[in-house]
Amino acid sequence: MRDILGRVAPIMPLIAAAAATDPEIAAQWPAGPDPRYTVQYAATKALTSKPDTRPDIDPARAADLLYGMLSPELYLTFVRDRGWSPEAWEEWACAVLTAQLCTDRE
């Protein structure tokens, strides 16, 4: 995700602004549920069936966590606005998601 967000996140605000003012671009923007959430939800359905996943986490909650934590907006907040390296963001996101989604493995 770090590599993908490093390429995509900086242009997302430009696309959103253009879609808000240009009907042709807006027509290219997907209607309905955000495709990122659809992908995150599909991934978490598989993830929540794994033995090291917290038993109290359901696919919808896990998808919400992935959707928020791996969002271009949050990535830009840390990397562009706060000056974190992409590697530091990746380590932090991995630690937070592991703590939220996985059981303690000792």
Side-chain angles (χ1 to χ4, degrees):
M1 284 304 301
R2 181 189 77 196
D3 291 340
I4 293 169
L5 288 172
R7 291 189 306 271
V8 173
I11 64 169
M12 293 299 292
L14 302 173
I15 294 170
T21 59
D22 186 322
E24 288 184 46
I25 294 174
Q28 300 299 313
W29 204 253
D34 187 326
R36 274 190 320 110
Y37 182 82
T38 303
V39 169
Q40 302 296 13
Y41 187 78
T44 59
K45 284 178 68 175
L47 174 73
T48 55
S49 68
K50 303 292 183 194
D52 288 338
T53 304
R54 285 182 33 193
D56 61 333
I57 197 94
D58 64 82
R61 172 72 175 215
D64 288 347
L65 291 168
L66 290 178
Y67 183 76
M69 291 292 301
L70 304 178
S71 71
E73 298 84 4
L74 189 59
Y75 177 85
L76 289 175
T77 296
F78 283 93
V79 175
R80 182 193 62 200
D81 301 344
R82 302 305 313 147
W84 287 29
S85 70
E87 295 79 12
W89 173 85
E90 179 181 26
E91 289 174 18
W92 171 78
C94 183
V96 170
L97 288 170
T98 299
Q100 289 291 306
L101 300 173
C102 300
T103 58
D104 291 332
R105 292 177 277 164
E106 296 182 19

